[in-house]
Amino acid sequence: MNKKPGLGDFLQTRRAQLRPADVGLPDFGERRRVPGLRRDELAQLAGIGLSYYTRLEQGVSLNASPEVLDALARALGLDEVERTHLHDLARATRRSGKRRRLMPEHLGETTTQLLEAFGDAPAIVLGRRSDVLAWNRTGHSLFAGHLDRRIPDQPGRRPNMARLVFLDAHTRDLFVDWRKKARAVVGKLRLAVGQYPDDPALAALIGELAMKSAEFAALWAENRVRNWDIAAYRLRHPLVGQLDLNLQTLTIPQEPGQRVVVATAEGGSGSQAALHLLARAGAPLPRQAGHSSRTVECAQAETSAI
């Protein structure tokens, strides 16, 4: 992944997404040769020289101060997450040619304890590239019951949520508003690029998705970042039917880049009842012939009555 163009690409893309009216500039109905704001307009709004801004956007100047970056963030109307991303990209351009060595990701003991503490609530642990590092029984049943439950224990074969969302038919069908989920996935990958510009596996993942999915390539080109702590989704599960869930994200301070995603439903709702059924259907069963199939059949029957 070429680090130098990161900051310039972000500035250029976000500048192109703004119209003069968005930032209080007169339009006069003129035909503009470039989409969005011109470089001189953004430089004026940020209170910096045009030549200096041009060098930043072209990746020639690599030493933008925090004050200049904050001024650009205000001029572009960036929110706090986007502003932090802008600073991350600037730090990446200033970094020396020596790559930062990233340690392989693993599941810590305290994170394992946290995962177990959620009980039957669906929960998964994701790494900096959105690799699934672990999931509890119900988390596996909800998000990827078609995969081997033990596969996160094999680092070379771990599922990746971004790859699943864009390239896996089961996961694509799971989210009713798939595009909303896709945008969130791409936005978090954008954040990861700013935070971990030296991760070759992250660069390879983005390249793979861009080649295999035109939808990913189009969303990636928008240069949007996302870091929601909670988001509501409607899921269409093959076993328990429709669920309206809140997916809440908890960061793990002792393991930078890792996060736990937990699914919850409104108390007393049909979605909460469906989660209970899903937990029962995936529960360990006694060694009795036919017991597993009868449990699933019962879950399906109960869900249809909700």
Side-chain angles (χ1 to χ4, degrees):
M1 191 186 332
N2 188 348
K3 294 187 295 183
K4 285 190 177 182
L7 176 62
D9 286 348
F10 183 74
L11 291 171
Q12 183 177 13
T13 303
R14 300 310 299 271
R15 173 171 63 83
Q17 292 167 351
L18 283 177
R19 297 171 301 175
D22 295 331
V23 293
L25 293 178
D27 189 316
F28 303 120
E30 61 179 319
R31 176 176 292 182
R32 303 174 68 86
R33 292 182 297 174
V34 296
L37 294 181
R38 297 191 297 263
R39 284 176 177 168
D40 63 301
E41 291 171 329
L42 180 57
Q44 180 181 359
L45 286 169
I48 62 178
L50 173 58
S51 60
Y52 177 54
Y53 174 76
T54 300
R55 293 196 301 273
L56 282 178
E57 195 170 283
Q58 292 176 341
V60 176
S61 178
L62 309 179
N63 294 301
S65 68
E67 292 76 18
V68 166
L69 295 173
D70 285 339
L72 287 169
R74 288 192 294 270
L76 290 168
L78 304 185
D79 61 25
E80 185 60 26
V81 172
E82 293 167 328
R83 187 192 69 82
T84 299
H85 180 61
L86 182 68
H87 282 265
D88 286 340
L89 292 175
R91 277 191 291 270
T93 64
R94 291 193 294 266
R95 194 166 294 149
S96 65
K98 184 178 180 181
R99 286 181 175 271
R100 179 177 51 160
R101 186 170 180 267
L102 297 172
M103 300 300 293
E105 293 186 292
H106 69 281
L107 197 68
E109 179 60 31
T110 55
T111 306
T112 301
Q113 295 171 6
L114 178 63
L115 193 61
E116 293 172 350
F118 287 114
D120 286 340
I124 61 175
V125 181
L126 301 179
R128 58 178 176 265
R129 295 183 295 268
S130 295
D131 290 337
V132 178
L133 306 183
W135 44 31
N136 63 7
R137 175 174 42 79
T138 319
H140 166 252
S141 298
L142 177 64
F143 293 109
H146 62 304
L147 301 180
D148 183 351
R149 184 184 167 189
R150 297 164 296 180
I151 198 170
D153 298 332
Q154 306 171 50
R157 299 184 58 211
R158 283 172 178 157
N160 177 276
M161 284 305 297
R163 190 178 285 114
L164 289 175
V165 165
F166 282 95
L167 305 180
D168 180 72
H170 173 93
T171 307
R172 190 182 185 105
D173 291 341
L174 182 64
F175 289 90
V176 174
D177 189 348
W178 175 86
R179 193 163 184 84
K180 176 181 177 181
K181 180 61 177 176
R183 284 187 179 280
V185 166
V186 172
K188 287 185 177 178
L189 281 181
R190 273 286 180 191
L191 283 177
V193 166
Q195 295 164 347
Y196 304 101
D198 300 321
D199 188 343
L202 176 59
L205 172 66
I206 293 166
E208 175 194 354
L209 293 174
M211 287 189 296
K212 294 182 178 179
S213 171
E215 291 160 312
F216 176 88
L219 290 173
W220 187 257
E222 292 180 3
N223 231 316
R224 297 283 182 179
V225 295
R226 296 284 190 278
N227 192 27
W228 295 327
D229 293 328
I230 184 169
Y233 290 100
R234 175 165 291 176
L235 276 61
R236 187 191 303 109
H237 196 274
L239 179 59
V240 297
Q242 181 173 295
L243 305 97
D244 291 306
L245 302 178
N246 292 312
L247 301 188
Q248 303 185 56
T249 300
L250 309 173
T251 58
I252 305 175
Q254 67 272 22
E255 297 290 349
Q258 293 185 20
R259 60 193 186 275
V260 180
V261 180
V262 186
T264 59
E266 182 181 353
S269 66
S271 296
Q272 186 183 58
L275 284 182
H276 289 327
L277 291 174
L278 188 63
R280 286 175 53 191
L285 300 172
R287 293 183 178 276
Q288 180 177 343
H291 193 153
S292 176
S293 61
R294 286 198 300 274
T295 301
V296 171
E297 290 169 1
C298 290
Q300 291 172 326
E302 292 181 43
T303 304
S304 64
I306 295 174

